[in-house]
């Protein structure tokens, strides 16, 4: 008997209208994102209120398209436009319309307020549905380096900037002298002396702009170092009845920009940072994650290579939609006495649990044995000693153990599952906008996993 095969006919048109909903499974995340966006208040969206020109795509469509694309690993506006033709779920989301990449990019770039509002509203949805417990949260805080939309090879150090300005100036003098010689050797075809002089003058202007920025950063660094120096002096002066230990702090020197200070001509706000065993042009993205649901409840972006001064701004960025925070879990990179005191605010803010030392990997037999809680240090003990005691009690150890099993997996999901490893936008303001979009998309992806069923508006 001959085998029987399904008839594949690609030429005969469909006799009945197509319902795209039948082409997407019922539990698909695209249905969830559409319903979630329809339940949000999109009044913060920027639209053409005059109604002139071509018809606009509704904000609900554009926001849902961006969220779905980011949640499923597509970040380029051109690639998102292609998905409106290639992907069945996206064709369904767009109702078989095809926003062009310019419209997609402009909507993303111009709607920071909408993305921020949506971030808070999604957390409100989670709290209203009882998935996220309102108030008394324990959050894990950490930062991760994400590549900027710029190459480190397009960055100049201050020393090289000064050297290149001098080199271009000498070349301009040589070209002027060459122009004054009647019998000078002509330039290659297509090159002119005025054109070459103008090109070098433009280069000098760009390099001097970079030099000005690096000088401004050096002044800001000097101001921060001076404030830290004065704080150390004040701390030493508090010591009564005994001689301060160690040598006195040295005042910072106003030497201007360091020779190694960097300026990137593609994205001046980005910085050279340690990244995966090397150095790359990056931003430092911060997140505060609820330990129960693994939802991101606060997000921020900074240009500092380390997290030393990021505890206060990251706690301040936690959404008011989640209520009060009881505990904040941080690693040693965030810890400073001043930052912890500022966050705890004399007992009115969250209690901070921080590692103040580096523990070896693995546990010894002695660590496996049960021990009573260590004796609480006296009230006059240093802040670091009090923090060490806090994290070594039985309750403190159990609480602090939640840190790396919540915030670090979230960064892993964003980078590995969603595939977000490089910003598409440039400049700190736009990068902050894109990080808000990434965290918003992650939260909706997570809520879909947790079984949230939004009620459409």
């Amino acid at each position: 008997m001959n085998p029987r095969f399904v008839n594949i006919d690609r030429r005969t048109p469909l006799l009945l209208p197509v319902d795209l909903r039948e082409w997407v499974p019922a539990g698909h995340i695209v249905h969830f994102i559409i319903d979630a966006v329809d339940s949000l208040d999109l009044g913060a969206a920027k639209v053409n209120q005059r109604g002139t020109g071509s018809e606009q795509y509704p904000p609900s469509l554009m926001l849902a398209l961006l969220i779905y694309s980011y949640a499923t690993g597509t970040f380029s506006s051109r690639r998102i436009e292609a998905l409106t033709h290639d992907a069945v779920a996206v064709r369904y989301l767009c109702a078989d319309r095809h926003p062009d990449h310019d419209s997609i990019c402009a909507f993303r770039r111009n709607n920071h307020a909408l993305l921020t509002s949506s971030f808070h509203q999604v957390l409100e949805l989670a709290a209203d549905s009882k998935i996220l417990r309102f108030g008394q949260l324990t959050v894990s805080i950490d930062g991760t380096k994400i590549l900027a939309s710029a190459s480190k090879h397009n960055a100049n150090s201050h020393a090289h900037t000064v050297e290149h300005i001098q080199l271009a100036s000498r070349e301009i003098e040589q070209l002027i002298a060459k122009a004054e010689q009647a019998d000078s050797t002509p330039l290659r075809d297509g090159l002119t002396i005025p054109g070459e002089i103008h090109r070098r003058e433009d280069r000098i202007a760009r390099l001097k702009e970079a030099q000005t920025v690096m000088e401004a950063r050096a002044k800001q660094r000097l101001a921060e170092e001076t404030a830290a120096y004065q704080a150390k002096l004040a701390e030493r002066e508090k010591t009564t009845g005994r001689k301060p230990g160690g040598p006195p702090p040295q005042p910072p020197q106003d030497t201007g920009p360091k020779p190694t200070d960097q300026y990137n001509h593609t994205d001046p706000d980005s910085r050279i940072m340690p990244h995966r065993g090397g150095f790359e042009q990056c931003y430092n993205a911060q997140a505060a994650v609820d330990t129960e649901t693994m939802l991101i409840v606060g997000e921020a972006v900074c240009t500092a290579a380390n997290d030393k001064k990021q505890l206060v701004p990251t706690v301040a960025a936690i959404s008011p939609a989640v209520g009060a925070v009881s505990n904040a879990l941080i690693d040693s990179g965030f810890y400073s006495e001043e930052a912890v005191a500022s966050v705890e605010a004399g007992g009115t803010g969250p209690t901070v649990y921080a590692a103040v030392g580096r523990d070896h990997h693995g546990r010894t037999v002695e660590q496996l044995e049960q021990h009573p809680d260590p004796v609480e240090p006296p009230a006059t003990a240093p802040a670091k000693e009090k923090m060490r005691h806090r994290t070594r009690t039985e309750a403190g150890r159990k609480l602090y153990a939640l840190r790396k099993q919540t915030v670090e997996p979230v960064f892993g999901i964003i980078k590995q599952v969603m595939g977000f490893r490089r910003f598409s936008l440039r400049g700190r303001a736009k990068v902050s906008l894109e990080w808000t979009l990434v965290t918003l998309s992650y939260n909706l992806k997570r809520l879909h996993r947790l079984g949230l069923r939004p009620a459409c508006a």
Side-chain angles (χ1 to χ4, degrees):
M1 180 181 294
N2 293 330
R4 301 172 60 204
F5 297 106
V6 174
N7 181 39
I8 305 300
D9 185 356
R10 299 185 179 91
R11 297 185 178 182
T12 303
L14 299 176
L15 299 180
L16 298 175
V18 177
D19 186 349
L20 289 177
R21 291 174 295 182
E22 298 178 356
W23 289 13
V24 182
H28 199 281
I29 190 174
V30 71
H31 298 297
F32 172 79
I33 289 177
I34 292 172
D35 291 343
V37 171
D38 285 344
S39 69
L40 302 180
D41 178 4
L42 306 183
K46 285 190 175 181
V47 296
N48 181 5
Q49 299 292 348
R50 294 177 58 192
T52 56
S54 302
E55 291 181 328
Q56 306 172 75
Y57 291 105
S60 58
L61 166 64
M62 300 299 286
L63 180 60
L65 176 59
L66 282 173
I67 290 173
Y68 176 80
S69 299
Y70 271 72
T72 55
T74 303
F75 317 109
S76 162
S77 57
R78 292 181 182 273
R79 181 59 188 146
I80 294 173
E81 178 187 358
L83 287 182
T84 65
H85 297 274
D86 301 341
V88 173
V90 180
R91 290 191 79 133
Y92 163 61
L93 187 152
C94 296
D96 211 19
R97 297 298 184 98
H98 309 284
D100 62 272
H101 62 273
D102 282 339
S103 299
I104 294 169
C105 191
F107 183 87
R108 175 176 58 184
R109 185 176 59 246
N110 297 330
N111 277 283
H112 198 174
L114 172 63
L115 294 173
T116 302
S117 171
S118 300
F119 177 83
H120 296 310
Q121 290 183 66
V122 165
L123 292 175
E124 287 178 0
L125 287 176
D128 291 342
S129 64
K130 308 303 181 183
I131 289 179
L132 176 68
R133 181 161 53 89
F134 182 84
Q136 306 304 309
L137 298 183
T138 295
V139 299
S140 299
I141 296 175
D142 207 351
T144 185
K145 308 298 190 302
I146 295 181
L147 296 173
S149 180
S151 171
K152 66 178 180 180
H153 300 294
N154 203 25
N156 282 346
S157 67
H158 185 264
H160 285 166
T161 299
V162 173
E163 180 182 340
H164 289 169
I165 290 175
Q166 295 171 351
L167 175 61
S169 300
R170 289 196 300 269
E171 290 177 346
I172 289 175
E173 293 175 357
Q174 293 173 359
L175 288 168
I176 293 175
K178 186 177 182 64
E180 294 174 349
Q181 298 174 7
D183 57 347
S184 63
T185 305
L187 301 179
R188 294 181 180 180
D189 292 342
L191 301 180
T192 63
I193 290 178
E196 291 301 304
I197 292 176
H198 180 69
R199 188 165 67 86
R200 284 161 176 78
E201 288 175 342
D202 283 348
R203 184 192 306 168
I204 290 175
R206 292 195 301 271
L207 290 171
K208 286 187 175 180
E209 179 183 354
Q211 189 178 29
T212 301
V213 171
M214 285 187 275
E215 290 172 352
R217 291 176 183 171
K219 291 181 180 178
Q220 180 181 359
R221 182 173 60 228
L222 176 64
E224 293 173 354
E225 291 175 351
T226 302
Y229 165 73
Q230 293 173 347
K232 290 180 181 178
L233 286 181
E235 187 66 25
R236 287 174 66 89
E237 291 175 357
K238 291 180 183 178
T239 305
T240 58
R242 59 184 178 87
K243 183 179 179 180
Q250 298 298 315
Q253 302 297 320
D254 186 5
T255 57
K258 299 178 181 178
T260 55
D261 285 352
Q262 298 280 334
Y263 177 91
N264 189 283
H265 293 271
T266 304
D267 186 353
D269 289 346
S270 62
R271 300 288 192 275
I272 295 284
M273 299 182 186
H275 182 264
R276 302 182 69 178
F279 292 88
E280 295 292 345
Q281 205 74 31
C282 296
Y283 283 93
N284 190 352
Q286 303 287 317
V289 178
D290 173 41
T291 57
E292 291 185 1
T293 61
M294 291 179 65
L295 290 171
I296 298 175
V297 297
E299 50 83 22
V301 171
C302 70
T303 58
N306 60 55
D307 300 324
K308 201 69 175 179
K309 297 183 179 180
Q310 302 312 313
L311 175 59
V312 174
T314 306
V315 170
I318 294 176
S319 173
V322 302
V325 174
S326 295
N327 305 300
L329 315 178
I330 59 174
D331 63 18
S332 58
F334 282 86
Y335 178 80
S336 72
E337 183 178 343
E338 296 79 12
V340 171
S342 177
V343 168
E344 294 185 342
T348 60
T351 302
V352 177
Y353 289 80
V356 292
R358 184 177 294 275
D359 293 330
H360 296 290
H361 291 289
R363 288 178 291 182
T364 65
V365 174
E366 183 182 358
Q367 290 174 322
L368 295 175
E369 298 173 345
Q370 289 187 354
H371 298 279
D373 286 346
V375 178
E376 185 173 354
T380 56
K384 184 173 287 188
E385 183 178 341
K386 294 178 180 179
M387 180 61 71
R388 183 178 291 108
H389 172 268
R390 183 182 294 176
T391 55
R392 289 186 175 179
T393 62
E394 183 67 22
R397 285 199 306 270
K398 289 181 178 179
L399 195 59
Y400 189 75
L402 298 174
R403 190 197 67 81
K404 61 182 178 181
Q405 68 190 48
T406 49
V407 65
E408 292 181 7
V410 168
F411 288 144
I413 292 170
I414 289 174
K415 289 186 172 183
Q416 189 64 29
V417 179
M418 294 170 58
F420 187 80
R421 296 179 178 272
R422 182 186 296 273
F423 288 106
S424 300
L425 305 181
R426 294 170 180 164
R428 183 176 177 180
K430 294 178 181 177
V431 162
S432 298
L433 174 155
E434 191 170 13
W435 182 238
T436 302
L437 176 57
V438 170
T439 54
L440 168 62
S441 303
Y442 165 82
N443 277 348
L444 282 173
K445 188 180 184 75
R446 178 64 181 164
L447 286 170
H448 176 252
R449 179 83 175 183
L450 294 174
L452 175 66
R453 295 293 179 264
C456 298

